[in-house]
Structures are given as C-alpha cells and as structure tokens.
Amino acid sequence: MIPQHNMQIHSILSNCASREMTIERIINEAERGGLATIGISDHIDLPDPARQNQLLANFEIVEKLNPSMNVRVGCEASQIAPNTIVVDKATAQQLDFVLVATNHYHLRQVEKPHDTSPASYAAHYLRMVEGAIDWGYTTIIPHPFLLAKVRELDHAQVLASYNRDELHRILHKAADMNVAFELNPRHLRHAMDFFKELLTLGRQVGLKFALGTDAHKPHEIAYSEEDVETLNQLGIGESDLIVV
Ligand SMILES: [Zn+2]
Ligand SMILES: [Zn+2]
C-alpha cells in the first residue's frame, strides 16, 4: 500500500515545530512526497479562545495558497481528563478534523493515574480513550496506546495490561462513533505485535484507521521506504483507512 495521506503535521503555529514548517513549505514537501491529502494539526494544550482563533486562521492561509492537493485544517487537542478536552465544541465543529491526544501525560495539566504502575496507566488510558469517543467531536486519536512519552514506565507491560474485553468494547464504540485511530509507522515499529492485534480487533468491529507521522520538520512529512515497509508488515490496506 502506498500511503496517500498524512493527518498529523505541525506548522509554525506549534512551538515545537521547525520554523521551516510554513504551510506553503508543508504543501510543497507533501506534493513531492506523492501525498494526496494532508492534515494541519497544530497543538492546543489548554482551554484558550485566542489559541482557537489562531487554529482557525490556518484556513485563511490555506485558502490564499490555493493548493492543488487536499489540505485539511484541524488541530491536535490535548485531553486533560477523561471528561475534559481543551478545544470548544463550537471550534471543533468548524475544523475539518480534530485529533484528540488522549496520552499527553507528559503535560503537567493532564490528569495522571493514582499510581505509576503499568496496570494503572493502562486502566486510566482506556478511560481517556472512552472519554474522547464520548465527547462526540473526535476524528482521530493520535499516537494511541503506546504511552511513549511517560518516562520510567514499562511500555510493553502497559500494552500487555490493557483489559482485552474493555479494549474490545471501546474499539466497538469508536467504530460506531466514527472515531479512527492513528497509525504512525515510526511508532508501530516499537510494538508491532500489539498493533497487529489492534488491527485484527478493529476489523472485527469495523474500526477505521488514519495515517500520520507527527511531522515537526519538513523531511518528516513524506513517508520513507522504511515507513511503507512497516505499514505493509502490519498488513494495513486501503479499506482499513478513513476517507479524508
Ligand atoms: Zn501528541
Ligand atoms: Zn503531534
């Protein structure tokens, strides 16, 4: 499968992105990389009306550039507790898509489990995912299940600790609510067995997936040969992906 979309790209509006990441440069790189659709997903990590207006202003930038490819304007909104997502529903409705980051545990404002055991993180994380689905405006859950940004945590143990009955129930709910899970080939490599299981479980309930690389630099926008190889190793096909 040749990846056609990349739904997690940060522009200069995200402080963590390279200053080269103007939307114009992003589009050029995406075109050179053979992509048909890209998603601009700048961060919003705290409830902040001014920040929401900045995210919406990306529409004007794209309009002025009048690109020949499909450029979708969204955001990557942090979820700070199972029932709290930092972007307003009114803003979410105006955006083309909303990534809800359910595992930004490295941010101070994000609720943590009561203890730091892998089992507690796993249980808390599933509550976060369910909250993001219940919210009703989530398009894609980025960098799911692998809590890579939590330091000193046994990540393999977290993946093993997800209650499979709960996982199945939540994936079913996600499928019913048209919430997709992101697959980032650069993360998949670290937990291939788990993501193969996720794909199998997901297919049983009609769950869809979206591709993204969480690009912060121009060279991270296009998929590399290694990325394509990883996606093929996983066995993902066009029919598993959302239409964006
Ligand atoms: Zn993120
Ligand atoms: Zn990101």
Side-chain angles (χ1 to χ4, degrees), residues 8 10 43 76 101 104 106 142-143 149 214:
Q8 195 183 167
H10 294 276
H43 288 288
E76 180 182 4
H104 275 174
H106 57 290
H143 40 64
K149 288 208 174 162
D214 203 359

Side-chain angles (χ1 to χ4, degrees), residues 33-55:
L35 294 172
T37 302
I38 54 170
I40 307 295
S41 61
D42 285 308
H43 288 288
I44 174 163
D45 292 324
L46 286 167
D48 176 357
R51 180 65 180 170
Q52 300 191 50
N53 288 335
Q54 288 180 326
L55 297 169

